[in-house]
């Protein structure tokens, strides 16, 4: 027992004294499973040791708010624009040239954060129980009687909340409130996140789900027979919204130089290529080979609603609305 | 005469020694921090908001759901644990060691893996569909969450009941038998009352676990307090409403603690006669053997078979090349944190339990209650409290192993109370009084007579804490030092990304890793009670 204690103590001391070299501290809402190789590559390229705290985007955002000016974080890499928006007061300004490297559609005008990848909202459905002509054309169709009890959604999920924000900004709060209420009346089932909706469709609990585009590929890559398909709504429908994941430099950081190095690395062609191919996402800059199984970005841009990604950080009103209808 | 009175007589000193008071104060302060933090956050709300938050109708709905869930879990858990504990201690069933091990092992299964297993039962990769070609109605809501939770918490009830059975003095039962009472009457009037304190104490622990748990509940989509609290923090970045909900949950804890006190008051368990207790003569099951084995088979199939099957299915989807070095490092790191945490927990738990038994009073009961509140505080709120506390008072401790372990200890210390309390009650005070009569100081008498016999429940209790730390997620996520990750974090992050194939071997390694320690618990706990009875 004593030996274990000593070994534990050794580990404590060993690891804390180790942190003196060139480092950057990253809070990553993106999962380790996906991005660990990218971090390794960053370390190899720059010689900077990356210390990464992985967690849910929203838990880390809450943590950053709690830490405030004493945060040890240099960079926050988030899964969704809502969290980035909620934290904009905790971010330092980025030099304008950072946002100039990314495509117009993905730029953050306030220069608080920069998009690191694009993704789209899609409809997933059961290939066993849904015929092609049963697919809804618009988000509004889902409140129809024939979808009663068959649709999954995740009101706590950042992607879904960003979708509600965009919906509000284009159609007005009253329309969205009516839609949310109609969905609840139509017995839409609440899930925790994107992946659990896919599981639920495969398991026969529901027939449709509203999620981001990059999850299903991970299932079908391993199991070609997997009984879930993915599609888009009619051109221009809010259900086809384009979203971003992004990163910002934490104002409390005493190491903004290395933080900038990491952000530049994320926007580099190599990193963008990796995110595109391994993550089934859209690159934010030109010159990247697109993922073969994804609709090309041009096609997506054609059918997606015209919503400025900068406005998607306006989370507060969305949360109030979700609370008002009883979803939060 | 009450137990407490008996113990006070043995203690004799009116004022508890510093050796007990100092650790108790540490526990009290450590577990008070989250309460303090929650109050601070709760008072962020402005007056107009306040009424709306506190009297929201949704709160009542959440409360009812929480109570329903606790009732279901305790009922189901007792239905699994009580017959199992009786069978392995009182009957002539064979392979008692193996059966006890299998009944305790589900402790090692992480909650969300159990939930995935039940969901998967009826699902696409499910057992029913793969082998029988039928699709079962999906399990979710109250019954889904209740079943998932009871399937991995019943081992805790089982371990406590088993220890209680083993520590019972058979003399009373034998007298009743000689008076011609039937087995059922004996069980109801003699065995059950003696089991009662162990039962209520473990109901409390499991009940408090249930109201704070999040993993299984979220997957089963059942809205209770803990679910709403998590939603506020993560979906809404709302720390004020989350704090109010957490405080309501703590109020519920206080009610549960008072209820536990009320139902276990005035009971005595130590032997009072002369001579020593004998080992109970096993009851012949006869033709009931088959039924007993069928019962065990069913419980093992549900609590271990299903999760292993679901992991098997995930692995069938393709296992990535195993990174043994990474797995080994992670396991070692987990062990080096959970090990010292478990030992520290025990170092603090023993003084608190001794204090409550030997020096009962407002101070002792306050500390005990605070420890239970620490245990019941939703882990995410607990972790945020530690963040706030460390950054304000000791920033150099932030994200250090020391703070992580401190948080674990304060969160789990109540878990160690049960086995220690039971052992102390069963040991009684006679021999200690004898030592005192021979002129030894109270402290020395305790150290030389009682402590050696507490060694085994101490080991058993620390192993229990160890296993909980291995499975823990929210505190680890927020407080872990940079670069430190546990097996559980690795599994969770992969399931969260839908990478089930990658998660499966890691989840399996948690179960295997913890099973070693579950085996050790039995080795120590079983013989502890026997040693105490001798």
């Amino acid at each position: 027992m004593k030996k274990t204690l000593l070994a534990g103590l050794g580990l404590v001391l060993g690891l804390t004294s180790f942190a003196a070299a060139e480092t950057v501290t990253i809070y990553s809402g993106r999962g380790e499973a996906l991005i660990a190789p990218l971090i390794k590559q960053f370390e190899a390229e720059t010689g900077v040791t990356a210390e990464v705290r992985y967690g849910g985007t929203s838990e880390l955002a809450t943590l950053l708010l709690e830490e405030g000016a004493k945060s040890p974080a240099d960079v926050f890499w988030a899964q969704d624009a809502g969290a980035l928006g909620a934290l904009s007061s905790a971010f330092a300004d980025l030099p304008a040239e950072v946002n100039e490297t990314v495509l117009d559609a993905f730029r953050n005008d306030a220069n608080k954060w920069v998009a690191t990848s694009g993704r789209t909202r899609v409809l997933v459905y059961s290939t066993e129980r849904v015929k092609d002509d049963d697919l809804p054309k618009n988000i509004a169709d889902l409140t129809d009687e024939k979808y009663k009890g068959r649709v999954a959604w995740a009101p706590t999920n950042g992607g879904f909340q960003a979708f509600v924000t965009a919906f509000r900004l284009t159609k007005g709060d009253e329309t969205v409130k009516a839609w949310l209420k109609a969905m609840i009346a139509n017995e839409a089932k609440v899930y925790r996140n994107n992946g659990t909706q896919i599981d639920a469709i495969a398991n026969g609990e529901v027939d449709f789900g509203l999620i981001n585009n990059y999850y299903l590929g991970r299932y079908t890559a391993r199991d070609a027979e997997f009984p879930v398909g993915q599609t888009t709504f009619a051109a221009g429908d809010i259900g086809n919204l384009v979203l971003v994941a992004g990163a910002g430099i934490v104002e409390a950081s005493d190491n903004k130089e290395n933080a900038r190095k990491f952000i530049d690395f994320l926007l580099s062609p190599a990193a963008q290529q990796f995110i595109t191919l391994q993550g089934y996402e859209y690159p934010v800059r030109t010159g990247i080979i697109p993922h073969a199984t994804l609709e090309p970005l041009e096609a997506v841009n054609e059918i997606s609603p015209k919503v400025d990604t900068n406005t998607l950080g306006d989370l507060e009103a969305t949360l109030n609305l979700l609370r008002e209808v009883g979803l939060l | 005469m009450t137990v407490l009175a008996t113990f006070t007589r043995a203690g004799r000193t009116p004022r508890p020694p510093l050796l007990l008071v100092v650790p108790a104060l540490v526990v009290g302060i450590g577990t008070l921090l989250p309460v303090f933090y929650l109050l601070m956050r709760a008072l962020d709300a402005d007056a107009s908001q306040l009424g709306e938050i506190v009297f929201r109708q949704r709160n009542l709905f959440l409360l009812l759901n929480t109570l329903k869930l606790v009732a279901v879990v305790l009922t189901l858990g007792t239905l699994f644990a009580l017959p199992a504990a009786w069978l392995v201690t009182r009957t002539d069933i064979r392979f008692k060691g193996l059966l006890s091990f299998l009944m305790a092992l589900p402790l090692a299964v992480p909650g969300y893996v159990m939930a995935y297993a039940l969901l998967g039962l009826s699902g696409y990769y499910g057992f029913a569909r793969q082998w029988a070609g039928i699709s079962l109605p999906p399990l979710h809501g109250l019954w889904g969450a209740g079943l998932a939770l009871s399937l991995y918490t019943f081992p805790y009830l089982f371990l406590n009941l088993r220890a209680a059975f083993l520590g019972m003095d058979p003399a009373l039962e034998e007298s009743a038998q000689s008076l011609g009472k039937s087995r059922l009457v004996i069980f109801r009037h003699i065995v059950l009352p003696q089991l009662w304190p162990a039962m209520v104490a473990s109901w409390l622990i499991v009940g408090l676990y249930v109201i704070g748990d999040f993993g299984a509940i979220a997957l089963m989509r059942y809205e209770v307090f803990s679910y709403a609290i998590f939603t506020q923090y993560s979906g809404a970045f709302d720390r004020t409403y989350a704090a109010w909900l957490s405080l309501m949950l703590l109020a519920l804890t206080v009610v549960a603690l008072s209820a536990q006190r009320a139902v276990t008051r005035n009971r005595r368990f130590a032997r009072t006669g002369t001579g020593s207790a004998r080992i109970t003569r096993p009851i012949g099951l006869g033709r009931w053997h088959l039924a007993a084995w069928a019962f065990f088979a069913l419980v093992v199939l549900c609590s271990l078979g299903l999760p292993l099957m679901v992991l098997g299915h995930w692995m069938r989807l393709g296992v990535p090349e195993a990174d043994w070095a990474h797995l080994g490092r992670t396991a070692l790191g987990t062990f080096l944190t959970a090990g010292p945490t478990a030992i520290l927990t025990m170092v603090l738990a023993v003084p608190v339990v001794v204090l409550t038994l030997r020096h009962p009073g407002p101070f002792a009961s306050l500390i005990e209650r605070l420890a239970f509140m620490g245990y019941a505080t939703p882990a995410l709120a607990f972790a945020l409290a530690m963040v706030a506390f460390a950054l304000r008072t000791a920033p150099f401790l932030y994200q250090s192993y020391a703070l992580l372990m401190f948080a674990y200890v304060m969160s789990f210390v109540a878990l160690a109370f049960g086995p220690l309390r039971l052992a102390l009650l069963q040991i009684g005070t006679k021999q200690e009084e004898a030592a005192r009569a021979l002129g030894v100081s109270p402290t020395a008498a305790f150290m030389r007579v009682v402590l050696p016999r507490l060694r085994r429940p101490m080991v058993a209790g620390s192993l229990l804490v160890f296993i909980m730390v291995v499975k823990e997620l929210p505190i680890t996520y927020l407080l872990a030092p940079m670069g430190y990750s546990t097996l559980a974090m690795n599994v969770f992050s992969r399931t969260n990304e839908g990478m089930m194939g990658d998660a499966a071997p890691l989840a399996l390694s948690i179960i295997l890793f913890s099973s070693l320690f579950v085996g050790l618990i039995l080795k120590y706990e079983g013989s502890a009670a026997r040693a105490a009875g001798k």
Side-chain angles (χ1 to χ4, degrees):
Chain A
M1 271 184 200
K2 225 175 229 168
K3 263 188 198 151
T4 331
L5 208 61
L6 284 178
L9 202 66
L11 198 77
V12 177
L13 298 176
L15 285 187
T16 41
S17 60
F18 173 88
E22 274 282 278
T23 59
V24 60
T25 303
I26 302 158
Y27 281 15
S28 173
R30 312 223 50 183
E32 181 178 13
L34 191 66
I35 68 154
L38 207 54
I39 300 287
K40 270 198 191 130
Q41 202 184 335
F42 166 73
E43 290 180 327
E45 254 175 48
T46 58
V48 175
T49 306
E51 297 184 328
V52 192
R53 167 166 301 271
Y54 293 100
T57 293
S58 43
E59 280 107 313
L60 290 174
T62 309
L63 182 64
L64 279 163
L65 291 175
E66 195 65 64
E67 291 173 343
K70 289 172 185 153
S71 177
D74 299 316
V75 179
F76 178 42
W77 192 7
Q79 279 280 25
D80 59 82
L84 291 168
L87 277 174
S88 51
S89 62
F91 283 139
D93 288 333
L94 289 173
E97 77 235 35
V98 175
N99 261 293
E100 276 156 21
T101 33
V102 308
L103 295 167
D104 271 351
F106 293 131
R107 273 181 204 166
N108 175 238
D109 299 335
N111 285 317
K112 282 293 183 186
W113 46 266
V114 62
T116 55
S117 58
R119 56 277 291 275
T120 59
R121 296 291 294 172
V122 294
L123 178 78
V124 279
Y125 62 95
S126 161
T127 50
E128 289 172 336
R129 295 179 300 277
V130 178
K131 285 191 234 72
D132 276 358
D133 42 352
D134 275 344
L135 288 170
K137 303 279 177 297
N138 298 293
I139 274 289
D141 294 348
L142 291 173
T143 58
D144 193 284
E145 178 70 24
K146 83 173 164 185
Y147 300 111
K148 191 163 196 151
R150 298 174 70 192
V151 184
W153 61 1
T156 55
N157 177 264
F160 178 82
Q161 292 176 350
F163 150 78
V164 174
T165 307
F167 200 174
R168 269 182 38 238
L169 295 174
T170 51
K171 296 280 162 62
D173 286 13
E174 285 312 308
T175 313
V176 179
K177 193 166 150 188
W179 181 77
L180 289 170
K181 282 189 165 163
M183 285 294 284
I184 296 168
N186 215 20
E187 295 167 17
K189 292 186 181 165
V190 173
Y191 287 83
R192 225 185 95 214
N193 56 23
N194 293 298
T196 46
Q197 293 184 57
I198 295 178
D199 292 333
I201 294 173
N203 291 346
E205 290 171 42
V206 285
D207 298 336
F208 302 92
L210 295 170
I211 68 171
N212 288 355
N213 73 294
Y214 48 88
Y215 285 92
L216 188 61
R218 298 177 193 163
Y219 290 77
T220 47
R222 289 221 166 114
D223 179 1
E225 315 264 281
F226 196 72
V228 180
Q230 183 162 314
T231 185
T232 55
F233 294 92
D237 189 73
I238 196 76
N240 301 334
L241 183 69
V242 173
L243 295 173
V244 294
I249 296 179
V250 179
E251 176 68 51
S253 161
D254 50 8
N255 194 359
K256 297 200 173 70
E257 202 176 309
N258 284 345
R260 172 71 196 275
K261 274 189 199 160
F262 182 69
I263 287 192
D264 286 345
F265 170 77
L266 289 181
L267 300 175
S268 71
Q272 285 292 309
Q273 190 65 66
F274 178 88
I275 294 172
T276 305
L277 294 182
Q278 298 299 313
Y280 300 82
E281 289 173 72
Y282 292 100
V284 292
R285 61 180 295 159
T286 49
I288 308 297
I289 305 160
H291 197 288
T293 66
L294 294 186
E295 295 267 312
L297 189 60
E298 297 73 42
V300 167
N301 276 333
E302 235 162 74
I303 61 162
S304 71
K306 301 291 163 267
V307 177
D308 184 353
T309 49
N310 287 290
T311 57
L312 298 183
D314 178 21
L315 197 58
E316 201 47 48
T318 298
L319 295 175
N320 283 335
L321 191 60
L322 290 172
R323 244 176 246 144
E324 210 178 304
V325 297
L327 283 172
L328 281 185
Chain B
M1 189 191 310
T2 69
V3 192
L4 295 183
T6 323
F7 274 112
T8 323
R9 208 180 48 192
R12 265 187 208 156
T13 36
R15 272 226 324 269
L18 280 183
L19 210 60
L20 298 183
V21 174
V22 172
L25 274 176
V26 172
V27 170
I29 293 169
T31 48
L32 198 57
L33 288 174
V35 182
F36 195 68
Y37 165 81
L38 288 171
L39 283 172
M40 192 179 81
R41 282 276 165 247
L43 295 176
D44 277 352
D46 46 62
S48 61
Q49 246 185 316
L50 211 65
E52 204 179 307
I53 288 174
V54 180
F55 298 109
R56 228 178 136 179
Q57 207 178 349
R58 193 175 156 78
N59 299 344
L60 197 64
F61 164 78
L62 294 173
L63 175 68
L64 282 177
N65 276 1
T66 305
L67 293 177
K68 275 193 251 174
L69 184 66
V70 171
V72 168
V73 175
L74 294 185
T75 310
L76 287 176
T78 309
L79 288 178
F80 298 142
L82 185 59
W86 182 76
L87 283 167
V88 299
T89 52
R90 289 307 174 84
T91 69
D92 63 346
I93 199 161
R94 294 178 64 196
F95 307 111
K96 289 191 174 74
L98 177 69
L99 285 174
S100 301
F101 177 68
L102 289 175
M103 289 295 106
L105 195 52
L107 266 186
V109 180
Y112 53 94
V113 172
M114 190 64 89
Y116 269 119
L118 288 181
L119 287 171
L121 175 68
S122 54
Y124 175 64
Y125 290 120
F127 159 79
R129 182 191 164 109
Q130 299 279 324
W131 282 314
I134 47 164
S135 35
L136 296 169
L139 202 57
H140 56 76
L142 174 60
W143 290 101
L147 192 59
L149 276 160
S150 51
L151 281 176
Y152 71 92
T153 53
F154 87 87
Y156 184 82
L157 284 163
F158 168 78
L159 285 173
N160 275 341
L161 291 176
R162 177 173 171 273
F165 270 121
L166 287 174
M168 240 179 243
D169 187 343
L172 266 178
E173 284 169 69
E174 283 168 6
S175 322
Q177 221 171 337
S178 69
L179 292 171
K181 301 286 179 203
S182 76
R183 286 215 186 287
L184 206 63
V185 170
I186 295 175
F187 190 80
R188 270 190 53 200
H189 293 285
I190 301 199
V191 178
L192 218 49
Q194 291 190 75
L195 275 186
W196 191 237
M199 191 114 93
V200 175
S202 35
W203 277 347
L204 181 70
I205 287 283
V206 173
L208 294 184
Y209 179 84
V210 170
I211 63 178
D213 179 72
F214 169 70
I217 287 162
L219 284 170
M220 289 294 179
R221 305 189 298 108
Y222 189 58
E223 289 193 73
V224 290
F225 266 119
S226 58
Y227 184 78
I229 290 166
F230 184 83
T231 302
Q232 291 309 315
Y233 279 127
S234 70
F237 310 104
D238 185 344
R239 289 174 291 168
T240 309
Y241 185 43
W244 277 104
L245 288 172
S246 305
L247 287 172
M248 289 176 206
L249 197 148
L250 288 182
L252 194 62
T253 308
V254 173
V255 174
L257 285 170
S258 313
Q260 186 236 2
R261 238 156 225 246
V263 296
T264 50
R265 197 168 284 159
N266 296 340
R267 298 202 178 247
R268 184 172 65 190
F269 317 98
R271 286 171 39 78
T272 48
T274 51
S276 64
R278 288 189 295 105
I279 303 292
T280 327
R281 191 155 36 87
I283 294 167
L285 280 177
R287 62 202 168 90
W288 288 99
H289 263 295
L290 200 64
W293 281 104
F295 167 79
F296 279 117
L298 183 71
V299 176
V300 170
L301 182 74
C302 293
S303 60
L304 290 171
L306 289 178
L308 291 178
M309 247 174 323
V310 86
L311 293 181
H313 277 306
W314 287 353
M315 285 202 260
R316 213 182 45 114
L317 304 183
V319 180
E321 216 149 286
D323 184 349
W324 292 109
H326 174 73
L327 190 67
R329 262 199 319 276
T330 313
L332 183 70
T334 308
F335 179 81
L336 287 179
T337 324
T341 300
I343 293 166
L344 263 170
T345 307
M346 207 40 73
V347 168
L348 291 175
V350 172
V352 174
V353 174
V354 173
L355 191 74
T356 54
L357 289 177
R358 300 289 164 92
H359 303 275
F363 177 68
S365 68
L366 177 70
I367 300 292
E368 196 192 18
R369 276 165 197 232
L370 281 174
F372 275 106
M373 281 167 72
Y375 175 73
T377 307
L380 200 54
F382 198 99
L384 285 173
M386 291 297 164
V387 170
F389 153 73
L391 286 176
R392 279 190 183 78
T393 59
F396 61 93
L397 277 179
Y398 187 53
Q399 296 187 352
S400 66
Y401 284 92
L403 185 70
L404 178 65
M405 287 185 208
F406 179 73
Y408 283 145
V409 170
M410 291 307 147
S411 173
F412 291 125
V413 68
L415 204 55
F417 290 173
L420 291 174
R421 198 183 162 88
L422 184 71
L424 272 174
L425 286 174
Q426 287 180 343
I427 290 167
T429 55
K430 293 263 150 68
Q431 289 155 2
E432 206 179 342
E433 281 169 1
R436 291 272 292 118
L438 293 171
V440 183
S441 78
T443 312
F446 181 83
M447 291 292 186
R448 278 157 60 182
V449 178
V450 182
L451 205 58
R453 288 164 66 185
L454 274 185
R455 195 172 66 91
R456 286 168 178 280
M458 278 166 71
V459 176
S462 14
L463 287 168
L464 205 58
V465 173
F466 181 92
I467 289 169
M468 293 303 283
V469 172
V470 169
K471 289 202 296 183
E472 211 285 331
L473 276 175
I475 293 179
T476 321
Y477 258 120
L478 289 198
L479 296 178
M482 281 294 169
Y484 172 72
S485 75
T486 63
L487 289 171
M489 284 162 88
N490 279 279
V491 175
F492 187 77
S493 82
R494 280 160 183 77
T495 54
N496 223 14
E497 301 273 338
M499 300 168 145
M500 302 311 192
D502 298 32
L506 287 163
L508 196 62
S509 67
I510 291 192
I511 296 177
L512 291 178
F513 182 67
S514 301
S515 67
L516 300 174
F517 298 94
V518 171
L520 282 175
I521 292 188
L522 284 167
K523 181 165 174 271
Y524 282 96
E525 192 168 71
S527 12
R530 242 172 275 136
K534 258 175 214 161

